[in-house]
Amino acid sequence: MVAFEAEKQKILAQLADIFNRQNFLLLSSRALMAFGAPLHRLEANLIAMALNLDVEATFAVLPGIILITFGDEDTRSSETYVVRGMAGYDMYRLGRTNRTIRRVLKSRISVGQGVKNLERILATPPIYSWWMMLLDYVAISFFICPLFWNGSWQDAGVSAMLGLMVGLLQLLAGRFNNYANLFEVSSAFLVSFVAALLQNHVCFGTVSFAGIVMLLPGLALTTSIIEMASRNMISGTVRLVFALSRCFMLGYGISVGSMLGSRVLGLDTAVALMEGQIDSTTDVGNCRPGPSKFWWFMFLPVLSLAFNISISAHWRQWPFMMFSGCLAYTVSYFTSLSEAVSPLSPAIAAFAMGLFANVLASFYNHRSAVEPILGGVQLLVPGSLGLKTVLSFITSSGTSSGSFLYNIFATSLGVSVGLFLSGMCIFPNRRKRVGLMTF
């Protein structure tokens, strides 16, 4: 009888251990998807985790959903779980998730403790409050105006006001689901309407793009190209279609807003405003020269910090992410000055940024390369290219439409090639690195 009870307890302990490891994989996949782990690497990382934990499992990763099937060779049965969640960016909780996974895979903590840690991470609220994110909208619109589009101090002030308005609309969209479907169109409409009303005092194109810079789909476009280049066709195509659809919504809102704003002033210059923006001219509206480039030494780190806050990076993550962003922007700026190297500028900047991030991840095992790479990509990718393409379509400019469409894919593909090359140089055999998170 004693032997029977001992055998029973042994079997129960083995079953509990199996369920614990399966639960750890379920929570890990949910956390990685929700906090911004690269989707094109997620399936390979989950397979490596399952092999390390000695769990028979297969994975299918799609945008917003992960299918996990656990098999049992003895009974020849299987169970399929559907992990659903909204994909976003939270660098603080992604870093904590990565550290927990590494500690479990290296047997520094038990699987049961890892499950408790992941449950605690998933239950943790965002690190920044709503008013902090609202101020972040203001800061990004203010500093990006002179840095990216050579706006004047007056343009930067109006851009900050418009950024505040977009941030308030974002809070409204999060509270009311029905309005969320109109968020992009209404934000672009209001921003361009106000900019058109103030066209005698500010530069229309600069203020319009700086006001909605947080809505520009540059990061989504780049991520979609990276996923398609890595043979993840379903997720890459879905992201690409979503990004282009968002471009059309923003372009439609700007077109209607600028037209109504000009008509209110009794002017018929809406088409001129749009065409001027497409041609990247700076003489549409009352455009003044921007501040001295010496101010860029202050604007660039602050803008990088603001972008880091927008993806919920902890202050301990700021130094490496800010350095990565400043490095990417600096390399891109100087390489674009040369006509011979200019077409390769995005690839060279992404390679330098990825090299720094992957070297950092190789020396610090508790860090991932995702955080500094995302910190740099946000400053590197010109998200306004997608919007200019849409404005070209709206104004029936076929030549510029094709040109800007090519620039979208060329820039995003250049960033993808640079990131892939940097990863290949540092980790030529990725299979030797269990649980590695990078692009």
Side-chain angles (χ1 to χ4, degrees):
M1 190 68 180
V2 176
F4 174 77
E5 287 295 330
E7 186 67 22
K8 179 181 177 180
Q9 293 299 323
K10 181 180 178 180
I11 294 175
L12 290 176
Q14 290 176 347
L15 289 175
D17 181 58
I18 292 174
F19 292 147
N20 239 359
R21 285 179 284 167
Q22 291 180 352
N23 194 26
F24 179 78
L25 284 173
L26 290 170
L27 291 174
S28 298
S29 61
R30 179 184 170 193
L32 291 174
M33 177 176 61
F35 302 147
L39 203 61
H40 62 286
R41 300 287 190 201
L42 187 53
E43 185 174 345
N45 285 336
L46 291 175
I47 291 174
M49 289 168 56
L51 291 175
N52 186 277
L53 295 173
D54 196 21
V55 176
E56 183 181 349
T58 58
F59 304 90
V61 179
L62 301 172
I65 188 171
I66 300 177
L67 301 177
I68 304 178
T69 301
F70 297 113
D72 189 341
E73 291 184 355
D74 297 330
T75 62
R76 293 189 177 182
S77 61
S78 63
E79 289 181 310
T80 300
Y81 293 85
V82 179
V83 179
R84 299 187 64 181
M86 293 297 295
Y89 292 103
D90 192 321
M91 295 299 100
Y92 174 56
R93 288 190 283 181
L94 180 63
R96 291 177 59 189
T97 301
N98 183 53
R99 288 194 295 271
T100 299
I101 292 174
R102 285 180 179 272
R103 293 174 69 187
V104 170
L105 296 182
K106 294 183 178 182
S107 301
R108 295 177 182 174
I109 60 174
S110 65
V111 177
Q113 184 60 44
V115 169
K116 293 180 181 179
N117 290 351
L118 289 177
E119 290 176 342
R120 192 179 303 116
I121 293 170
L122 288 167
T124 302
I127 187 174
Y128 299 114
S129 59
W130 64 270
W131 61 267
M132 187 72 175
M133 299 305 294
L134 197 61
L135 293 177
D136 195 53
Y137 272 80
V138 176
I140 289 177
S141 296
F142 179 85
F143 289 107
I144 206 172
C145 179
L147 189 60
F148 274 38
W149 293 291
N150 200 31
S152 64
W153 290 108
Q154 188 170 349
D155 295 336
V158 175
S159 299
M161 179 191 68
L162 296 177
L164 175 63
M165 182 175 63
V166 173
L168 291 172
L169 293 176
Q170 175 71 66
L171 294 176
L172 188 65
R175 185 176 295 269
F176 301 101
N177 292 331
N178 290 334
Y179 173 69
N181 299 327
L182 298 172
F183 169 62
E184 288 85 0
V185 175
S186 61
S187 297
F189 169 79
L190 290 175
V191 167
S192 62
F193 180 75
V194 174
L197 289 178
L198 300 175
Q199 61 184 275
N200 294 327
H201 306 282
V202 297
C203 189
F204 170 81
T206 300
V207 169
S208 297
F209 280 99
I212 61 169
V213 66
M214 291 292 285
L215 307 182
L216 298 177
L219 182 58
L221 284 168
T222 302
T223 305
S224 67
I225 298 299
I226 290 176
E227 290 173 354
M228 287 194 291
S230 58
R231 305 298 189 273
N232 289 268
M233 303 305 297
I234 296 178
S235 59
T237 304
V238 170
R239 285 184 187 270
L240 179 62
V241 172
F242 169 76
L244 293 178
S245 300
R246 196 170 195 181
C247 285
F248 275 100
M249 288 188 287
L250 294 175
Y252 176 77
I254 285 186
S255 176
V256 176
S258 62
M259 179 185 66
L260 291 180
S262 299
R263 295 294 172 81
V264 168
L265 295 179
L267 304 174
D268 191 16
T269 59
V271 176
L273 286 173
M274 303 304 294
E275 290 179 347
Q277 179 57 43
I278 292 171
D279 295 334
S280 301
T281 59
T282 56
D283 56 354
V284 180
N286 188 7
C287 297
R288 302 178 179 86
S292 170
K293 291 186 179 180
F294 289 105
W295 284 97
W296 291 13
F297 291 100
M298 185 190 74
F299 289 164
L300 183 58
V302 177
L303 179 61
S304 178
L305 174 61
F307 272 126
N308 295 340
I309 293 176
S310 70
I311 55 176
S312 299
H314 193 267
W315 65 268
R316 293 189 182 92
Q317 298 170 313
W318 289 354
F320 296 110
M321 295 179 68
M322 289 175 62
F323 181 83
S324 177
C326 295
L327 175 65
Y329 183 86
T330 303
V331 173
S332 176
Y333 176 78
F334 284 105
T335 52
S336 62
L337 297 179
S338 172
E339 293 184 2
V341 188
S342 179
L344 300 176
S345 177
I348 297 173
F351 177 76
M353 172 188 62
L355 207 62
F356 164 75
N358 287 309
V359 168
L360 182 69
S362 66
F363 279 101
Y364 296 93
N365 289 330
H366 63 283
R367 291 188 177 274
S368 71
V370 175
E371 302 148 18
I373 286 178
L374 282 178
V377 167
Q378 291 186 104
L379 284 175
L380 183 60
V381 176
S384 59
L385 282 177
L387 191 57
K388 290 177 182 178
T389 303
V390 177
L391 299 180
S392 301
F393 282 124
I394 292 173
T395 55
S396 301
S397 177
T399 304
S400 55
S401 170
S403 174
F404 283 116
L405 187 60
Y406 169 78
N407 288 338
I408 288 177
F409 287 95
T411 302
S412 301
L413 190 58
V415 173
S416 305
V417 170
L419 292 177
F420 288 150
L421 281 176
S422 64
M424 185 181 65
C425 291
I426 304 301
F427 306 117
N429 189 359
R430 191 178 299 276
R431 293 181 180 179
K432 296 181 179 180
R433 303 285 297 183
V434 178
L436 177 69
M437 277 204 302
T438 183
F439 277 82

